[in-house]
Amino acid sequence: MKESSKVVEICFGSGWMDRTVNPVQAPAFLNGSVFYGCPSPILRWAHPKCRSCFGKRLELTRRRLFAARGARLYLRGDLVAVDRVKKSSIEYETGYLCEGKSENFPHIQTLKNFPKEELSVQYLLATAEKVILVSDWKREVSSKLLDSQSVSDILSSLLRRKVVSLKCLSCGVPFKRELLEEADIFLLENLSGFRKEVANCPEFSELLSSEVDVFVNDSFSLSHRVLASTVGISRFSPACVAGFQFEESLRELKRVLNTDKRPYIAIIGGANIHGKAAALKRLVSECDGVVFVGMMSLQIMHALEYSIPSTLLEPGSSDAAVEVIQSARYRKIPIITPKDFWCINDSPGYQIEVIPAHRLGEGWVPVDLGPRSLDEMDSLLSSCKKVIWIGPVKFKSSHSSICTDGASQVAQIVDRLAQRNCEIAVVGNKACSAMIKESRSSASCSVIENASVVWEVLKGRKLPGLLALDRAFPFKIDWRMAYRNPAQPLVVDIGSGNGLFLFGMASRRKDQNFLGLEVNKKLVRRCLDGVHQSGIPNGFFIATNATSTFRSIVSSYPGEVVLVSIQCPNPDFNNPEQRWRMVNRTLVEAVVELLAYNGKVFLQSDIETVVLRMTDMFLRHSKGKLSIVRDGTAKWRQQGSWLHENPFGVRSDWEQHVLDRGDPMYRLMLCKSATS
């Protein structure tokens, strides 16, 4: 195999084999043209459980050429123009100074925006690229799914390509590149058999990432959990991006949580009201009415002083139910609970009958919603513009032998609303199954099968699997508004601080544009104030973490990037794991790719170790495109080989501070050349 070829590792989430073994549906998303790879990494795709609207997903899968169990919608954003005169404009405050509108949903790097030269289906299958699949699957789904070898045989038959099973995880042996000669597609062992996966063990995460260059997470359904295959692996992989289905599911979730359309009603089912109290308060604070079904309704009814058998009450549910009711009364929104139930009697033979809600304490046990309850729900929802249905309708005491169709009738009610242009969000396996069965119009229906992800977000918690991915800048920059002449060569200062270096450079070189990338938003605000006050036409600053967003920002610039400088990054010597995070492989590869030929990389610090490490990173991951200016690579570490003077004649604030106290600065210049 070529030295430059990357190994792509793909991690599918729990349940992905459920559809793989289906002889009708599987070929639609597992075929010889859908595995996404790159000219040199291992992608681990993590795929959630199968979803609805298969035909729609199949079409998107074909368009995106991606092996997913479906693709829905894609997360995009455009940066609004900044008024260079009116600094108080909304765009000025929110467009450039904020990296994202919500910390719970950061903007992330995705496959769609990953450079095709580094990652593409064509490169994967046509140029001997390699893919490693990682997943967990339940053996009870199919008797054929006994071990990774049986699964790889099934995949080989479906894909018509050889899939080799690897046993490196159970042996604790890192993956070796020599094995890549055996096939193009590999499958690791079932992750469900490893406790270290659930424990997010660092050693296991590093084992999963052995020889990995790009990690792709496509398991949005597992994003609320901290796993080695979704979170831990990101610490050891140079690039961590979201797959197409992950990106689409994230946008679907944001659509589910959107509250713009009114009236907005929530149908809430399931159990564990105590554990979901924070989420329920949020729903009550945002909705115009709530309808409780399933076990949740019994806890609310008990708080409303209905006579509910103690066997149907959840421990610790009373206080949570009372708080939810009080919140609803404070906002003066209706709380709807069932008026009747299909119930079974505890006598032999399980007699079934419709019982009013006030008679539940007379030996009758509810199994499903009654007709009056459904009629009241239909009446309440008739004028809604948005409905979220989350959680099952049936009760814990439901018997499989009892045939009731409450969930199906709720699905029919919701489907009729969808046909009247009401926005519908359906969350949870049971609700989704009923909706798939009854729905005739899915155009305005958002479906998320894993309710746990939604509940966690409603509680105000962040998703670990989402936060583990590389960040992207949230907007597309309008460079015409940033610079008077956006076609001029660009100089980028990573970690620009208070902007002293860029302001000095911008005043000297009117023929170039200068961009400062700084994580401190207060400093960026001051720098932008200075740009507006002085009227500098070729200077601009963005608040962002350039380590992960450099590519997404600079790649859209219309002119050439002629210089990238990294000056005096702050190492944290008290935290070895965080010490060198600013300059990593992802940043280096992005800088080298976007830098024009004969462009320069300027590195300096008052700590020699920092410059040595940064230079090592750039030389190691530049693919031979960078060389050191003035000194040969064999001599640059020797004393006296540093640049004695700042080649630009303009000093940063920290550089001036170091020189004033009489300490040395360590400087190096790298140049990109096609012949390096």
Side-chain angles (χ1 to χ4, degrees):
M1 189 183 65
K2 300 178 182 179
E3 292 183 1
S4 62
S5 69
K6 294 185 180 179
V7 185
V8 180
E9 185 173 88
I10 304 167
C11 178
F12 291 87
S14 175
W16 69 283
M17 282 301 299
D18 302 6
R19 291 192 57 166
T20 304
V21 297
N22 187 310
V24 177
Q25 295 178 339
F29 62 94
L30 290 175
N31 57 60
S33 65
V34 294
F35 283 95
Y36 217 90
C38 41
S40 96
I42 293 183
L43 277 167
R44 300 188 190 255
W45 295 350
H47 281 236
K49 295 183 179 179
C50 30
R51 305 208 171 190
S52 65
C53 308
F54 174 75
K56 178 182 177 182
R57 293 202 320 275
L58 172 57
E59 177 60 26
L60 285 171
T61 300
R62 287 172 175 168
R63 284 187 356 226
R64 301 295 180 183
L65 296 177
F66 180 62
R69 272 177 297 171
R72 302 182 66 82
L73 300 176
Y74 284 74
L75 181 62
R76 294 184 65 95
D78 292 330
L79 178 63
V80 289
V82 171
D83 188 335
R84 295 183 59 87
V85 178
K86 299 178 181 179
K87 71 171 187 177
S88 61
S89 64
I90 296 177
E91 295 87 350
Y92 175 81
E93 292 295 329
T94 63
Y96 285 111
L97 297 182
C98 300
E99 187 169 326
K101 294 183 179 179
S102 171
E103 290 298 325
N104 285 344
F105 300 117
H107 293 264
I108 53 178
Q109 296 282 10
T110 62
L111 279 174
K112 179 175 59 180
N113 296 323
F114 206 84
K116 294 182 179 179
E117 294 77 9
E118 296 294 324
L119 187 64
S120 70
V121 176
Q122 294 86 346
Y123 278 67
L124 171 65
L125 296 178
T127 62
E129 303 308 337
K130 310 297 178 180
V131 174
I132 294 183
L133 307 177
V134 182
S135 180
D136 60 341
W137 57 87
K138 298 179 180 179
R139 296 183 179 182
E140 57 267 25
V141 172
S142 172
S143 59
K144 298 179 181 179
L145 305 181
L146 299 178
D147 52 28
S148 57
Q149 182 59 55
S150 61
V151 174
S152 63
D153 292 341
I154 295 173
L155 291 175
S156 297
S157 176
L158 293 173
L159 299 173
R160 298 180 182 179
R161 298 179 70 93
K162 184 179 180 181
V163 179
V164 174
S165 174
L166 299 176
K167 302 290 185 181
C168 57
L169 297 182
S170 56
C171 300
V173 179
F175 181 78
K176 296 183 179 179
R177 283 188 174 249
E178 292 77 32
L179 296 174
L180 294 177
E181 299 296 338
E182 299 182 14
D184 294 337
I185 304 174
F186 301 85
L187 175 69
L188 291 185
E189 297 147 282
N190 189 348
L191 292 180
S192 62
F194 297 92
R195 294 182 180 179
K196 294 181 179 180
E197 156 73 354
V198 179
N200 190 28
C201 175
E203 292 78 10
F204 189 72
S205 300
E206 188 172 11
L207 181 63
L208 285 172
S209 65
S210 59
E211 296 296 333
V212 173
D213 295 300
V214 175
F215 161 61
V216 176
N217 185 349
D218 217 28
S219 180
F220 187 77
S221 65
L222 298 178
S223 59
H224 65 296
R225 301 179 61 188
V226 180
L227 304 173
S229 64
T230 59
V231 176
I233 190 176
S234 64
R235 291 178 51 196
F236 304 98
S237 301
C240 305
V241 300
F244 291 135
Q245 185 173 333
F246 192 109
E247 181 187 8
E248 187 184 0
S249 299
L250 178 59
R251 181 171 179 176
E252 198 84 321
L253 175 60
K254 296 177 75 173
R255 182 185 176 192
V256 166
L257 299 177
N258 182 34
T259 60
D260 290 346
K261 294 188 176 182
R262 299 288 180 172
Y264 171 30
I265 301 294
I267 305 172
I268 307 172
N272 189 19
I273 188 172
H274 176 71
K276 299 171 182 174
L280 294 173
K281 290 179 183 178
R282 174 173 172 176
L283 285 172
V284 170
S285 69
E286 295 176 344
C287 294
D288 301 306
V290 287
V291 179
F292 285 97
V293 296
M295 292 298 296
M296 196 88 70
S297 66
L298 300 179
Q299 320 310 313
I300 297 295
M301 292 171 65
H302 178 68
L304 292 172
E305 300 183 351
Y306 280 80
S307 177
I308 305 297
S310 59
T311 56
L312 299 177
L313 296 178
E314 301 172 356
S317 64
S318 298
D319 291 343
V322 169
E323 290 179 3
V324 170
I325 294 172
Q326 290 176 343
S327 298
R329 287 175 175 172
Y330 177 78
R331 293 194 62 234
K332 298 181 181 181
I333 64 172
I335 292 183
I336 306 300
T337 57
K339 297 300 184 289
D340 58 351
F341 302 90
W342 282 102
C343 298
I344 56 172
N345 194 284
D346 54 8
S347 61
Y350 295 115
Q351 181 182 1
I352 185 169
E353 188 175 324
V354 176
I355 301 296
H358 63 272
R359 288 180 51 195
L360 281 181
E362 300 179 4
W364 293 95
V365 179
V367 294
D368 210 340
L369 293 175
R372 279 190 59 199
S373 302
L374 292 167
D375 289 343
E376 184 180 26
M377 182 188 302
D378 193 6
S379 176
L380 175 67
L381 300 179
S382 60
S383 60
C384 287
K385 296 300 181 181
K386 177 167 183 175
V387 172
I388 179 174
W389 172 15
I390 178 170
V393 172
K394 283 197 173 185
F395 299 83
K396 184 168 60 177
S397 58
S398 298
H399 289 254
S400 59
S401 59
I402 304 298
C403 296
T404 56
D405 58 354
S408 296
Q409 293 188 48
V410 172
Q412 292 173 17
I413 293 172
V414 171
D415 183 58
R416 288 196 294 271
L417 293 172
Q419 295 178 44
R420 297 200 294 266
N421 295 322
C422 176
E423 185 176 306
I424 305 297
V426 183
V427 180
N429 289 324
K430 298 291 180 62
C432 290
S433 297
M435 199 65 194
I436 293 171
K437 180 180 178 181
E438 301 295 337
S439 177
R440 290 178 292 172
S441 174
S442 60
S444 58
C445 182
S446 299
V447 177
I448 299 179
E449 287 199 8
N450 194 323
S452 297
V453 175
V454 180
W455 283 120
E456 288 298 296
V457 174
L458 287 173
K459 293 175 186 176
R461 298 176 182 174
K462 299 178 181 180
L463 301 176
L466 178 64
L467 299 179
L469 298 174
D470 291 342
R471 302 295 177 88
F473 191 69
F475 305 104
K476 182 179 178 182
I477 299 174
D478 187 347
W479 298 104
R480 294 172 300 177
M481 299 300 296
Y483 301 110
R484 181 175 297 172
N485 183 3
Q488 293 186 155
L490 181 68
V491 174
V492 184
D493 188 26
I494 299 176
S496 55
N498 62 12
L500 184 62
F501 173 75
L502 283 191
F503 277 112
M505 292 287 288
S507 63
R508 292 191 179 195
R509 296 295 304 269
K510 302 295 184 180
D511 60 330
Q512 294 180 343
N513 290 331
F514 296 87
L515 174 65
L517 304 179
E518 169 59 46
V519 72
N520 189 320
K521 295 180 180 179
K522 291 183 179 180
L523 291 179
V524 171
R525 183 175 284 108
R526 293 173 188 170
C527 291
L528 287 175
D529 286 340
V531 170
H532 285 273
Q533 291 171 5
S534 60
I536 297 176
N538 61 335
F540 198 71
F541 295 83
I542 295 177
T544 186
N545 182 356
T547 303
S548 59
T549 63
F550 181 90
R551 185 191 299 276
S552 62
I553 293 175
V554 180
S555 60
S556 64
Y557 185 74
E560 288 188 332
V561 180
V562 295
L563 174 65
V564 175
S565 62
I566 304 177
Q567 304 183 53
C568 305
N570 297 325
D572 185 357
F573 292 103
N574 295 320
N575 191 345
E577 293 183 0
Q578 307 275 331
R579 187 176 300 169
W580 310 110
R581 287 186 64 185
M582 180 174 179
V583 178
N584 58 21
R585 180 175 173 179
T586 303
L587 175 62
V588 170
E589 290 183 343
V591 169
V592 173
E593 176 193 343
L594 298 175
L595 191 66
Y597 283 110
N598 296 319
K600 304 294 193 301
V601 176
F602 177 57
L603 308 174
Q604 77 165 344
S605 174
D606 58 319
I607 302 174
E608 183 178 16
T609 311
V610 172
V611 184
L612 292 175
R613 201 269 178 179
M614 289 194 298
T615 308
D616 274 338
M617 289 292 292
F618 272 95
L619 293 177
R620 185 185 312 142
H621 300 298
S622 67
K623 302 178 183 177
K625 295 180 180 180
L626 291 182
S627 61
I628 297 175
V629 178
R630 282 186 57 181
D631 298 295
T633 56
K635 298 179 180 179
W636 72 274
R637 291 176 181 272
Q638 301 174 7
Q639 186 176 4
S641 62
W642 303 103
L643 296 175
H644 295 291
E645 299 293 337
N646 187 317
F648 307 106
V650 178
R651 296 170 179 173
S652 67
D653 55 336
W654 186 254
E655 180 183 5
Q656 186 63 56
H657 171 72
V658 171
L659 295 178
D660 288 344
R661 71 188 185 195
D663 291 335
M665 287 295 296
Y666 302 93
R667 309 179 183 93
L668 276 169
M669 187 80 75
L670 304 173
C671 180
K672 179 178 178 180
S673 172
T675 60
S676 296

